[in-house]
Amino acid sequence: AQSVTQPDIHITVSEGASLELRCNYSYGATPYLFWYVQSPGQGLQLLLKYFSGDTLVQGIKGFEAEFKRSQSSFNLRKPSVHWSDAAEYFCAVKRQAGTALIFGKGTTLSVSS
Amino acid sequence: DVKVTQSSRYLVKRTGEKVFLECVQDMDHENMFWYRQDPGLGLRLIYFSYDVKMKEKGDIPEGYSVSREKKERFSLILESASTNQTSMYLCASNLGAPDTQYFGPGTRLTVL
């Protein structure tokens, strides 16, 4: 069965430091992958997505992610974190059948000053 | 900009009540979804709809039903609310696979 794993439940990063959030998926063919962010009390906002082509994907708010087929990973990165990046981050993969998504359990990012 | 709206941000209901959660999208999207979000569990798919009057069960449909009478509106119904249905409910829509899903702000439901 398809699944998405986000190994880190909670990460704390100092403001200005770099960030990497991990995401692993299980899927046979080329997956359609997404990263969403959820600020407190809000819905989910798309950060970036990978469908095909260049394996390094640029998103909004200075985020990027790299698709690595050999590692079944789609890790999210940002070179310099801002306090406003504190939120919950979800990795997702499109289901094999249909258009719905399978989400990971999320990683909560805290930013310390 | 795509806009997905949900009828209530916060809702408090009693056990056994029938509860309606409404979702409206303004971009003529074909597909609409209802997810449930719980701490430590991420988002889980309850139901989705790919056309008017069409629906498919997701991973956790028990205790829920849905209605899609118009393309822009997708309703989630809790036939007899129970305390274990206390959760955040998120609605989403998209044009088709593998298009981005756009989410509403969520309804935090508390069942007492």
Side-chain angles (χ1 to χ4, degrees), chain A residues 48-50 54-59 63-67 74:
Chain A
L48 47 78
K49 60 189 177 187
Y50 172 77
D54 192 347
T55 57
L56 185 62
V57 180
Q58 302 297 321
F63 285 92
E64 68 178 25
E66 187 171 12
F67 170 60
F74 188 55

Side-chain angles (χ1 to χ4, degrees), chain A residues 70-89:
Chain A
S70 61
Q71 298 176 20
S72 297
S73 69
F74 188 55
N75 294 347
L76 182 71
R77 301 193 294 245
K78 186 170 185 178
S80 178
V81 166
H82 188 261
W83 64 266
S84 60
D85 293 324
E88 191 160 19
Y89 291 80

Side-chain angles (χ1 to χ4, degrees), chain A residues 11-100:
Chain A
I11 285 182
T12 299
V13 174
S14 298
E15 191 168 15
S18 64
L19 169 70
E20 182 169 32
L21 301 182
R22 297 183 291 163
C23 173
N24 294 97
Y25 64 90
S26 68
Y27 191 68
T30 299
Y32 298 107
L33 294 159
F34 304 80
W35 273 102
Y36 283 87
V37 61
Q38 184 180 35
S39 299
Q42 302 298 315
L44 274 69
Q45 180 184 22
L46 179 73
L47 283 175
L48 47 78
K49 60 189 177 187
Y50 172 77
F51 289 175
S52 65
D54 192 347
T55 57
L56 185 62
V57 180
Q58 302 297 321
I60 63 171
K61 304 184 182 189
F63 285 92
E64 68 178 25
E66 187 171 12
F67 170 60
K68 292 186 177 180
R69 182 190 300 277
S70 61
Q71 298 176 20
S72 297
S73 69
F74 188 55
N75 294 347
L76 182 71
R77 301 193 294 245
K78 186 170 185 178
S80 178
V81 166
H82 188 261
W83 64 266
S84 60
D85 293 324
E88 191 160 19
Y89 291 80
F90 292 95
C91 181
V93 65
K94 191 190 83 67
R95 294 171 187 248
Q96 260 180 291
T99 187

Side-chain angles (χ1 to χ4, degrees), chain B residues 6-25:
Chain B
Q6 296 184 228
S7 51
S8 306
R9 293 299 302 272
Y10 300 94
L11 211 51
V12 179
K13 295 293 182 181
R14 296 284 179 188
T15 302
E17 278 192 80
K18 190 168 187 177
V19 181
F20 293 86
L21 303 183
E22 306 285 339
C23 174
V24 177
Q25 50 93 4

